[in-house]
Amino acid sequence: MFKSIFSNSFGILISRVSGLIRDILMTSVLGASVWSDVFFMAFKFPNLFRRIFAEGSFTQSFMPSYIASRQKSVFAVAIFIRFMTFIIAFSLIVTLFPEFFTKLLAWDWDADLISKTAPLTTINFWYLDLIFIVTFLGTLLQHKEHFFTTAFSTVWLNIAMITSLMLFQHSDPKTIVYALSFSILAGGLLQVATHLYTMRQQGLMKLLIGGWKYRRSKDVKAEESKFSGLFFPSVLGNSTAQIASFIDTSLASFLAAGSVSYLFYANRIFQLPFAIIALAITTALFPGIAKAIKNENHTLAYKNLNKSFWLLSVLLGLSVLGGVLLSEPIVWLLFERGHFTIQDTHNTADVLMMYMVGLIPFGLAKLFSLYLYAMHKHVKAAKIAASSLIVNIIFSLILMKPLGAAGLALAGSIGGAVQMILTMREVGWSILFDILKTKNTLYFIVGMTMFGGLFYILNQFLINLIR
């Protein structure tokens, strides 16, 4: 399990670092111009669906159904054909009517901007087809407890985009954004190729071939129907974070100038430990818990949960202490240069502290929600996510005026705490109490107190150094 967690975390880390290099190069080549806006808007649709797929909606609904299936190969191929047919059809519709779909995203843009963006929307949207193939194959690999390929694969997308930026950096902006759009498809093809190679190495190609061969002779309609009942609640449950982010950005536009940027930069820092620690651990843990619960081996499931709980708590606890107590030095190191002033650093640091408060609740909610998905309680998980979203919105409206952008970040953390509490209540408080009734709790409190003191002293030294 720890090997799986490490390989997943390492893959995500490499992916995030390459993404940061890509963003720095893109800013240098395109800047903040009309053509950069055009490109980001064109990539918004497939990127939204990519994030929904990649952040667990498909895997969390497919994995339990796949484990329970008596005809795994036929079931997997049937689900792949159903989704692929729909996505290709959707992509063809977008290709035929790109201006209509572009207008849905940028409803306040004029006809000239829409006409510039529409062809790019067509090109970028086909990335969705490729990323679904990657997600599907990645889920089969996760069932075999192989995680590195999927975690690492986004690096190919970043490499393709970086290559196009370097090759066309001296071209006109229109050429650059078209090159970037085609490089996204090239990166998607590389991701698919990498997964197919790993599937062959893991001996899983026979599963797909057999599923295709016997797809008409085996009846899996009941299993497909059950999967559909799990998938759509899972989409709702995993989309609330995207909805909350969209709402926060909209509300921040009513605040002082720079508020949207403060939220963006602080959230980028917050997402790093969340992805490398929380997402990596829960992704690696999910197949094991799903298999254990399916086999009614709850002792094994609790054992894995216990180990993961303390690993997650310690790593996230250190991240929270570092993010809160060292917020200003962190923001200074990453962003304070050029037009990013000292005041911008202070404002972003305030937002970062409010985000980091919610890191442990978000991580533990993600961990304990695995039980809900493994027990096919996707509807319950969706209701919990919706409740946390409503709480988030209410507190955003309450706190945005007195606290500004930091209030919006704090509202998100409160929503995460509500999600954690509701998830634990559904799973059972007794499981949490059994985990906490050990000497590990004392070690955790003493350790966090000591590191808190060390981080405080380090912050005082760094503040005196940089200011």
Side-chain angles (χ1 to χ4, degrees), residues 89-101:
F90 193 15
S91 299
L92 288 172
I93 293 172
V94 173
T95 302
L96 293 173
F97 307 100
E99 293 191 356
F100 170 77
F101 286 96

Side-chain angles (χ1 to χ4, degrees), residues 161-204:
M161 295 178 72
I162 289 170
T163 302
S164 69
L165 286 167
M166 294 179 68
L167 290 174
F168 294 92
Q169 60 182 314
H170 300 301
S171 303
D172 62 277
K174 182 178 179 180
T175 302
I176 293 172
V177 296
Y178 270 87
L180 274 173
S181 297
F182 283 113
S183 74
I184 287 171
L185 299 184
L189 289 171
L190 288 172
Q191 288 178 270
V192 172
T194 303
H195 278 77
L196 287 174
Y197 174 79
T198 308
M199 288 281 290
R200 184 177 179 182
Q201 293 293 104
Q202 295 287 325
L204 291 174

Side-chain angles (χ1 to χ4, degrees), residues 217-445:
S217 59
K218 304 291 184 180
D219 184 13
V220 292
K221 289 184 178 179
E223 294 176 356
E224 287 185 67
S225 178
K226 186 175 182 179
F227 165 78
S228 298
L230 299 177
F231 176 72
F232 293 105
S234 183
V235 170
L236 176 61
N238 284 277
S239 299
T240 51
Q242 312 303 328
I243 298 171
S245 176
F246 176 80
I247 292 173
D248 282 350
T249 302
S250 300
L251 292 175
S253 65
F254 292 97
L255 299 174
S259 296
V260 173
S261 297
Y262 303 148
L263 284 170
F264 175 80
Y265 290 126
N267 190 259
R268 292 283 284 183
I269 300 172
F270 168 83
Q271 287 295 330
L272 188 62
F274 182 74
I276 293 175
I277 300 171
L279 288 182
I281 290 176
T282 54
T283 300
L285 186 65
F286 184 57
I289 283 186
K291 291 175 187 176
I293 289 180
K294 192 264 179 182
N295 296 325
E296 298 184 357
N297 190 351
H298 293 281
T299 301
L300 177 61
Y302 293 156
K303 182 180 178 181
N304 288 339
L305 180 68
N306 182 61
K307 291 180 179 179
S308 299
F309 174 88
W310 287 114
L311 179 62
L312 187 72
S313 297
V314 169
L315 295 178
L316 290 184
L318 292 173
S319 299
V320 170
L321 291 174
V324 172
L325 296 175
L326 299 172
S327 58
E328 185 175 346
I330 290 172
V331 176
W332 169 84
L333 176 65
L334 293 175
F335 303 121
E336 192 180 308
R337 59 184 62 87
H339 294 290
F340 199 92
T341 66
I342 294 177
Q343 187 59 48
D344 293 330
T345 295
H346 290 158
N347 293 337
T348 304
D350 290 341
V351 176
L352 176 60
M353 285 190 285
M354 295 300 102
Y355 271 133
M356 296 304 291
V357 168
L359 185 58
I360 290 181
F362 274 118
L364 293 182
K366 192 77 176 173
L367 178 65
F368 282 92
S369 68
L370 297 183
Y371 262 75
L372 300 183
Y373 289 115
M375 293 187 291
H376 301 256
K377 294 185 177 182
H378 293 62
V379 174
K380 178 60 68 173
K383 290 180 179 178
I384 290 172
S387 299
S388 70
L389 176 62
I390 293 171
V391 171
N392 186 344
I393 294 172
I394 292 172
F395 276 93
S396 291
L397 295 172
I398 294 172
L399 298 174
M400 62 181 288
K401 188 171 182 179
L403 298 179
L408 296 176
L410 179 58
S413 295
I414 293 172
V418 170
Q419 186 173 0
M420 179 190 71
I421 292 170
L422 294 178
T423 301
M424 287 183 173
R425 186 180 70 175
E426 183 63 30
V427 172
W429 287 106
S430 59
I431 294 176
L432 177 63
F433 293 148
D434 287 340
I435 294 174
L436 294 178
K437 286 189 301 183
T438 65
K439 58 184 179 182
N440 290 333
T441 302
L442 178 61
Y443 294 154
F444 178 80
I445 294 173

Side-chain angles (χ1 to χ4, degrees), residues 99-203:
E99 293 191 356
F100 170 77
F101 286 96
T102 304
K103 192 69 177 176
L104 289 178
L105 291 173
W107 54 270
D108 57 336
W109 279 14
D110 58 33
D112 179 58
L113 274 177
I114 293 295
S115 65
K116 289 178 179 177
T117 310
L120 296 170
T121 300
T122 299
I123 298 169
N124 281 271
F125 201 87
W126 285 96
Y127 178 66
L128 176 60
D129 301 64
L130 299 172
I131 207 61
F132 170 70
I133 298 173
V134 169
T135 303
F136 174 78
L137 298 177
T139 303
L140 295 179
L141 290 172
Q142 286 181 29
H143 179 259
K144 295 282 286 186
E145 300 190 10
H146 177 92
F147 301 92
F148 180 77
T149 297
T150 302
F152 176 83
S153 68
T154 310
V155 172
W156 296 118
L157 173 66
N158 295 331
I159 289 174
M161 295 178 72
I162 289 170
T163 302
S164 69
L165 286 167
M166 294 179 68
L167 290 174
F168 294 92
Q169 60 182 314
H170 300 301
S171 303
D172 62 277
K174 182 178 179 180
T175 302
I176 293 172
V177 296
Y178 270 87
L180 274 173
S181 297
F182 283 113
S183 74
I184 287 171
L185 299 184
L189 289 171
L190 288 172
Q191 288 178 270
V192 172
T194 303
H195 278 77
L196 287 174
Y197 174 79
T198 308
M199 288 281 290
R200 184 177 179 182
Q201 293 293 104
Q202 295 287 325

